[in-house]
Amino acid sequence: KPPVLGSWRNLYLAVLALHALVIAFFTYFTYIYS
Amino acid sequence: MHTIDWIVLFVILFAIVAYGIWKTKDVKNSQSYFVGNKDLKWWTIGLSVMATQASAITFLSTPGQAYDDGMRFAQFYIGLPIAMVILCVFVLPLYYRTNVVTAYEYLENRFDVKTRTLTSILFLIQRGLAAGLTIFAPSIILSSILGWNLQLTTIIIGVVVIIYTVLGGAVAVSQTQKQQMIVILSGMFIAYLVIVYKLPADITAGESLDLAGKMGKLNVIDWEFDLSNKYNVWSGILAGTFLFLSYFGTDQSQVQRYLSGKSLTESRLGLLFNGIFKVPMQIGILLVGIMVFMFYQFNPSPLHFNKANVEIIQASSYGDEYALLEREHDKLQEEKRDAIYALNKAMKSDYEVDAAQAEVMTHLSNERNLRSEAKELLTKINEETNLKLEAEDTDYVFITFITKNLPVGLVGLLLAVILAAAMSSTSAELNALATCSVSDIYRRSINPGKDDNHYLKTAKITTALWGLIALFFASFASLFDNLIEAVNIIGSLFYGVILGVFAVAFFIKYVRGTAIFIAAIIGEIIILTMFYLEHIEVIELAYLWLNAIGCLIVIVLSYGIQLLLPSRTQD
């Protein structure tokens, strides 16, 4: 078990979700600043 | 350079090196010299992995890339978090379960000793060459701008790294990397704040971002699928993930960092930490470059950023032509500045923004043409003389800004950032080279069965030897046209085959030692032949493809050879 989120699967999914959020944010960033 | 800058630079670097040497008291045996005392927590592993990947060229080149090309380079790293998760799921448990010291030791468990030795030797050739460039790249840029002696700069960086890496091994590497990352991150953050502060008083930070966006510089994400475009989301996810899988999964200079972890859990968390923070860190460095770009929209910028090149042009028969270009550039900059103020005003009142934007873009494209004309003068000089001047000057943008426009004290801090980055990468490379030489080859095949102290001593001597070899390569590095590309080409010649061997090890249980060994040798010969044919212009092939081709050849060939071998018991 990892120290957070209960299982490794949850933690991996959380990392990938966070990464997707970063990409989504910068897609929006690119759009508003173009 | 001001005396205060020298003091800041010296104190920071001396403190880091002294701390590294003091930590060498923790080296108890050859095991702790290779992978530390297996006591690293996740955040030290994460910082250590990031410090190994980020070399001086990262901090010199990346802001210059943003200056020239905007922020789209950030997409190069999009595959990195995906690679981290894949490594955590499939690869780390295998390394931990088999309790290996090097990645190639795992291959002996899976295949046999000859496959382990072969991949280790391929790694040693590739990393030994690249380590020379890691030291040389910052030296040439710093010597050009600061007027330092090139050979002396290279030797000083090299010798300082060799001293603490020889004495402290993996323990010194991970402890100094932690300090180096703190200096690097805080230095870049302070630089960002100072640049924003130095923008004109009548332009706010928000307005300067708006303006940079209108000038086409904030193109972080591009969703369009286009094979000819180096940086978009798809190339980052598809090609980038493969590149980072092989770099973090099979390159000993990285594997060694997370094998020093206290447990599998700590190592996994360290890699995930790297996966989460790497992309924002690169975007931060690019943003510093964007702010340097904005600073130069309101302050005079040189026509060509490599000062050493400019001095050569001025002394040549093209001196008058260059002076004419410079005068034109000065005039253009004033017109462009007025146009940018007009654009800012138009955006505030939301009136005729498009026309004002078109005006600014015309000036930008004229400036680009002037800069190209200056580069053409360099090409002409190259053709007429035996000089090999680098016409691209983006690597020199950030260092020019640092030395010309940052306040006293901060120049020393930013130079410490660049040198700390050079040292953190080099020390990890030397430590990995020594570990593979001693663990995979010397202790395994040449001189087994000695006491541990003998191998610890051998490892220290080997570290020093690799340091000297790297310095030797560095003295030839000026023969390469483009350093970043040289590093990537050297990597591409060997990475594909190594990745192929590991891919078969992890996923094709049918293939055994002899088949993979023959396939790897044939694969490497084919790759080197293709590179040679490309070099003498018989075939046309971008070098990055060698990674994928090498990997595929090894997978297909090894499977085919295994089918032909009489039976599986023969290995």
Side-chain angles (χ1 to χ4, degrees), chain B residues 171-467:
Chain B
V171 176
V173 171
S174 63
Q175 292 303 326
T176 47
Q177 281 183 328
K178 211 163 46 175
Q179 319 298 327
Q180 284 157 340
M181 276 308 279
I182 291 168
V183 169
I184 286 168
L185 292 175
S186 51
M188 291 303 279
F189 185 66
I190 292 170
Y192 179 80
L193 293 180
V194 169
I195 302 170
V196 171
Y197 175 74
K198 286 177 84 87
L199 288 171
D202 48 2
I203 302 267
T204 66
E207 285 170 356
S208 63
L209 258 190
D210 281 333
L211 286 168
K214 285 288 176 208
M215 291 156 89
K217 290 290 175 187
L218 302 183
N219 46 349
V220 186
I221 300 287
D222 176 2
W223 282 91
E224 196 170 333
F225 185 83
D226 178 359
L227 274 177
S228 63
N229 180 351
K230 263 192 300 194
Y231 306 121
N232 57 44
V233 168
W234 307 108
S235 70
I237 287 179
L238 297 172
T241 303
F242 272 94
L243 180 69
F244 292 123
L245 275 177
S246 57
Y247 175 56
F248 288 101
T250 72
D251 190 309
Q252 182 63 20
S253 57
Q254 281 295 358
V255 172
Q256 202 156 338
R257 307 282 73 82
Y258 55 77
L259 288 183
S260 309
K262 190 178 177 183
S263 66
L264 175 58
T265 297
E266 297 293 336
S267 293
R268 278 174 161 170
L269 293 174
L271 282 188
L272 293 177
F273 170 85
N274 176 42
I276 290 171
F277 285 102
K278 181 73 184 182
V279 173
M281 182 176 103
Q282 290 295 335
I283 287 178
I285 299 171
L286 286 164
L287 206 52
V288 170
I290 295 293
M291 286 300 147
V292 169
F293 171 80
M294 289 312 293
F295 173 85
Y296 276 133
Q297 301 313 306
F298 301 107
N299 296 281
S301 71
L303 176 58
H304 185 85
F305 279 91
N306 185 343
K307 200 171 81 174
N309 279 355
V310 172
E311 285 166 5
I312 290 173
I313 299 177
Q314 286 170 337
S316 76
S317 55
Y318 297 106
D320 292 344
E321 211 173 316
Y322 187 79
L324 201 65
L325 285 176
E326 275 192 314
R327 277 201 291 278
E328 215 175 316
H329 185 233
D330 290 344
K331 190 166 148 259
L332 176 72
Q333 285 193 83
E334 280 180 28
E335 291 169 0
K336 186 176 58 162
R337 197 174 314 148
D338 293 340
I340 290 171
Y341 272 114
L343 173 60
N344 194 38
K345 204 172 155 186
M347 284 161 72
K348 273 182 183 170
S349 58
D350 202 15
Y351 178 68
E352 297 214 332
V353 175
D354 288 351
Q357 183 183 10
E359 178 79 2
V360 170
M361 294 310 270
T362 306
H363 286 305
L364 275 179
S365 120
N366 289 342
E367 182 176 45
R368 194 170 279 264
N369 292 341
L370 281 179
R371 278 167 54 75
S372 296
E373 282 181 47
K375 287 172 194 169
E376 274 166 29
L377 293 183
L378 283 166
T379 316
K380 283 180 186 167
I381 292 175
N382 280 344
E383 283 166 3
E384 291 165 16
T385 61
N386 275 332
L387 294 169
K388 295 185 85 169
L389 302 171
E390 167 65 77
E392 274 306 323
D393 63 346
T394 49
D395 287 356
Y396 295 81
V397 172
F398 191 44
I399 186 77
T400 300
F401 172 80
I402 289 171
T403 50
K404 294 264 186 219
N405 302 100
L406 280 185
V408 168
L410 274 186
V411 178
L413 174 64
L414 265 285
L415 287 174
V417 165
I418 289 160
L419 290 176
M423 286 157 57
S424 68
S425 294
T426 308
S427 67
E429 289 172 338
L430 295 184
N431 184 223
L433 287 164
T435 302
C436 284
S437 314
V438 174
S439 186
D440 287 334
I441 296 169
Y442 183 77
R443 177 153 61 182
R444 182 67 189 81
S445 304
I446 297 177
N447 196 354
K450 288 288 173 76
D451 66 345
D452 189 74
N453 210 16
H454 171 78
Y455 295 120
L456 178 58
K457 216 176 281 180
T458 310
K460 289 184 175 180
I461 294 168
T462 314
T463 306
L465 275 178
W466 276 113

Side-chain angles (χ1 to χ4, degrees), chain B residues 438-505:
Chain B
V438 174
S439 186
D440 287 334
I441 296 169
Y442 183 77
R443 177 153 61 182
R444 182 67 189 81
S445 304
I446 297 177
N447 196 354
K450 288 288 173 76
D451 66 345
D452 189 74
N453 210 16
H454 171 78
Y455 295 120
L456 178 58
K457 216 176 281 180
T458 310
K460 289 184 175 180
I461 294 168
T462 314
T463 306
L465 275 178
W466 276 113
L468 293 174
I469 291 171
L471 280 177
F472 177 73
F473 284 144
S475 61
F476 287 104
S478 54
L479 300 175
F480 290 108
D481 291 341
N482 181 321
L483 290 170
I484 277 265
E485 211 166 66
V487 173
N488 286 328
I489 290 174
I490 291 169
S492 300
L493 289 178
F494 300 99
Y495 260 153
V497 170
I498 294 177
L499 183 63
V501 172
F502 274 92
V504 171

Side-chain angles (χ1 to χ4, degrees), chain A residues 1-4 8 11-12 15-16 18-19 22-24 26-27 29-30 32-34, chain B residues 78 81 85 88-89 209-210 213-214 218-221 223 265 268-269 272 276 279 283:
Chain A
K1 284 194 174 181
V4 287
W8 282 108
L11 184 58
Y12 296 146
V15 166
L16 293 174
L18 194 61
H19 186 48
V22 169
I23 295 174
F26 280 102
T27 301
F29 177 92
T30 302
I32 58 167
Y33 279 117
S34 66
Chain B
I78 276 186
V85 169
C88 285
V89 174
L209 258 190
D210 281 333
K214 285 288 176 208
L218 302 183
N219 46 349
V220 186
I221 300 287
W223 282 91
T265 297
R268 278 174 161 170
L269 293 174
L272 293 177
I276 290 171
V279 173
I283 287 178

